[in-house]
Each structure stands twice: as structure tokens, then as C-alpha cells.
């Protein structure tokens, strides 16, 4: 892993993976799909080599798409998988990868994939629809080169020997050819009330006194896990700044601020 970090350098951002399976609050269907992804990575040598299931001329890549609204656990799931597999997780910064100059984007992606192939790691393409988008009709040279980038990614993913995770809020914008090459598609949805109550309880550290917080009442608020973490953080800061204990009124005040930030009515 140390050698791999030198190979990757500044090509992608390494994410510290502290999340565990216990930190992941998901429905059984989505959790089972994530466990299946981990099993594919862990046992692919046996299946592809010992049992002879490898595809001729192609790599041993395992590619999964995580789709769903923001804050529903897509990036957290990537962290859990990387930690469980004892692999480094690298987030590919598409803003520094995609270039307006012809051929530069492909060069940047080649360097990332080559380094990941040599070292072995998990690649995370956040907001993947920006680079894995649908190919369009060629009307000018810009369209031709945009399609060339997508074609290159399709070919490179097939020969990649690691785990590539793509996240998107807009699954419908993904190219159909990418969807055919995906081994897994995991659809993340907004948490329901029982899941939200567990998220609220896990948002505060165990060392903090939360006896004055009504978690069942907070679970009635229709917010995602990411919003819950943001509200909990804000409530703790307010408690420290005002030098008052953390209670229901303080958390609800932070929740109202979160609703205003989202542009939603406060009921």
C-alpha cells in the first residue's frame, strides 16, 4: 500500500477509510449487494484463474454504480468496502482530470488507471455522470472528441484489474454501454423512519449526554443521512458555544436551519 501511494501521488485523493459495516445503515437489499461486491473482489482469483471463468482478453475489473440522492451513503459505502478489503480508496478528481485540450483527458485517465493497476486499490469516481455521460450525435469536432473520451473509458474499464466505484445522482444520464459493463448497480434511497432513528442515534458520540434528545420524534423529519450528520454537528457546536446541555430544542433549532438551507418548509 505504501508503494501504491507513491505511484498514485497527486493523481487522485486518498480517503482515510475508518467506516465499518456497523456504521452503514441501509436496507437489507442494498447491504447484501455491497457484501456481494466485497465477495467478488476477495474471491476473484479463485473464480477467474483456478476455475477458469476469466474472460479472454479482458481484465478482472469489478465495476459498480452507486446511484441515489445526495447524502444517502454512497461515498460511505465505498469507504466500508475499501476498509473491509484492506485496500486504499482513491477519489478521482474529475475537475483536474478532464481537460479542454484534445487527448489530455485520456492521458490523465491512463496515468490513474495504470497506477491503480500496478498498486491495487479502489477507484472512486464521484459524480461520474460528468465523464461517463451519454455519447451524442457527432455534429462537430467537439462532439467527436467528447465521444472519444467515453469510448476510451469503456475500453479501459474492461482491462482494469481493480475495483472501480462510480457514484451519480442521475443514473438516467449514464451511457447505456457503461450500464451493460457494470457488474453491480446499487440504488440508494432516502432512509425511512426506523433507519432515520438509528442514524440520529449514531450521529452523536457515545461520550456525549443525549438523554434530553427525543430520537423517535426527530426520526419523523424526512432528511437523509448526510443531513442528519450535518444537523448533529451544528447542534453540538451550538451547545458548546452557548455552554448549555444538548437537548431536543437545540437539535430542532439546528434541524430548522438545515431545512432553510435545503429550501424546504419548516413544519
Amino acid at each position: 500500500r505504501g508503494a501504491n501511494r507513491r505511484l498514485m501521488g497527486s493523481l487522485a485523493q486518498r480517503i482515510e477509510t475508518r467506516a465499518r459495516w456497523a456504521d452503514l445503515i441501509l436496507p437489507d437489499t442494498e447491504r447484501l449487494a455491497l457484501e456481494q461486491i466485497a465477495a467478488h473482489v476477495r474471491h476473484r482469483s479463485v473464480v477467474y484463474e483456478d476455475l477458469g471463468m476469466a474472460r479472454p482478453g479482458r481484465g478482472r475489473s469489478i465495476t459498480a454504480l452507486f446511484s441515489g440522492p445526495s447524502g444517502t451513503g454512497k461515498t460511505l459505502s465505498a469507504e466500508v468496502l475499501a476498509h473491509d478489503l484492506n485496500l486504499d480508496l482513491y477519489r478521482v478528481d474529475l475537475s483536474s482530470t478532464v481537460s479542454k485540450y484534445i487527448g489530455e483527458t485520456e492521458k490523465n485517465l491512463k496515468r490513474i488507471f495504470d497506477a491503480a493497476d500496478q498498486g491495487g486499490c479502489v477507484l472512486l469516481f464521484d459524480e461520474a455522470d460528468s465523464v461517463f455521460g451519454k455519447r451524442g450525435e457527432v455534429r462537430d469536432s467537439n462532439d467527436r472528441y467528447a465521444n472519444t473520451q467515453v469510448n476510451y473509458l469503456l475500453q479501459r474499464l474492461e482491462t482494469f484489474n481493480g475495483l472501480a466505484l462510480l457514484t451519480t445522482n442521475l443514473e438516467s444520464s449514464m451511457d447505456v454501454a457503461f450500464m451493460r459493463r457494470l457488474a453491480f448497480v446499487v440504488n440508494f434511497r432516502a432512509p425511512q423512519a426506523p433507519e432515520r432513528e438509528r442514524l440520529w442515534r449514531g450521529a452523536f458520540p457515545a461520550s456525549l449526554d443525549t438523554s434530553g434528545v427525543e430520537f423517535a420524534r426527530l426520526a419523523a423529519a424526512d432528511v437523509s443521512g448526510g443531513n442528519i450528520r450535518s444537523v448533529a454537528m451544528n447542534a453540538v457546536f451550538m451547545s458548546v458555544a452557548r455552554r448549555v446541555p444538548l437537548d431536543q430544542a437545540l437539535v430542532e433549532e439546528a434541524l430548522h436551519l438545515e431545512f432553510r438551507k435545503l429550501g424546504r418548509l419548516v413544519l
Side-chain angles (χ1 to χ4, degrees):
R1 291 173 72 171
N4 186 43
R5 290 169 188 173
R6 289 192 293 273
L7 284 171
M8 293 298 291
S10 60
L11 297 176
Q13 176 194 1
R14 185 168 63 88
I15 300 175
E16 291 290 341
T17 55
R18 297 188 177 93
R20 310 290 192 273
W21 287 107
D23 301 320
L24 206 55
I25 299 173
L26 291 174
D28 292 340
T29 306
E30 284 72 24
R31 189 182 184 89
L32 181 62
L34 294 177
E35 291 173 351
Q36 197 62 28
I37 293 172
H40 274 231
V41 176
R42 189 171 283 114
H43 303 296
R44 60 183 175 173
S45 293
V46 174
V47 174
Y48 288 155
E49 297 171 10
D50 297 350
L51 300 180
M53 293 288 289
R55 298 167 297 177
R58 297 185 181 182
R60 301 187 303 169
S61 67
I62 297 172
T63 309
L65 175 68
F66 296 167
S67 68
S70 178
T72 50
K74 300 187 294 295
T75 304
L76 182 65
S77 297
E79 291 183 31
V80 170
L81 282 173
H83 182 271
D84 184 55
L85 295 167
N86 197 28
L87 295 172
D88 278 340
L89 175 65
Y90 285 90
R91 178 192 284 122
V92 178
D93 185 1
L94 296 176
S95 63
S96 62
T97 303
V98 178
S99 173
K100 65 179 180 179
Y101 298 106
I102 296 172
E104 284 300 311
T105 300
E106 290 86 340
K107 288 181 182 178
N108 293 336
L109 288 169
K110 183 179 185 302
R111 291 169 59 202
I112 292 170
F113 277 113
D114 288 349
D117 261 338
Q118 292 182 53
C121 62
V122 180
L123 288 181
L124 174 64
F125 292 88
D126 245 342
E127 307 298 339
D129 47 277
S130 61
V131 69
F132 292 84
K134 292 180 178 178
R135 288 167 290 186
E137 181 182 350
V138 177
R139 296 177 180 173
D140 55 31
S141 59
N142 291 331
D143 293 335
R144 183 182 301 111
Y145 289 116
N147 287 347
T148 300
Q149 292 177 8
V150 177
N151 291 334
Y152 173 78
L153 281 167
L154 286 171
Q155 297 169 6
R156 195 62 185 85
L157 274 177
E158 283 196 339
T159 59
F160 181 49
N161 283 313
L163 172 61
L165 302 175
L166 290 63
T167 70
T168 180
N169 300 335
L170 300 168
E171 183 181 335
S172 59
S173 66
M174 301 290 288
D175 193 283
V176 177
F178 274 121
M179 301 302 290
R180 287 200 306 268
R181 287 165 169 80
L182 295 172
F184 297 91
V185 176
V186 185
N187 296 306
F188 291 76
R189 59 168 176 80
Q192 303 303 303
E195 296 159 359
R196 289 197 295 267
E197 183 173 350
R198 291 174 59 196
L199 286 166
W200 277 112
R201 292 183 183 278
F204 298 97
S207 58
L208 192 65
D209 181 14
T210 57
S211 57
V213 180
E214 302 173 36
F215 293 108
R217 181 176 175 178
L218 290 171
D222 185 13
V223 288
S224 69
N227 298 133
I228 289 173
R229 286 190 294 273
S230 178
V231 171
M233 182 70 73
N234 197 16
V236 172
F237 268 104
M238 291 163 64
S239 171
V240 173
R242 298 176 187 179
R243 298 181 181 179
V244 296
L246 184 73
D247 58 9
Q248 181 71 11
L250 206 60
V251 178
E252 286 188 1
E253 182 182 346
L255 180 60
H256 291 171
L257 290 173
E258 188 73 12
F259 270 105
R260 293 192 189 100
K261 182 183 78 174
L262 298 172
R264 293 165 58 180
L265 292 173
V266 179
L267 302 177

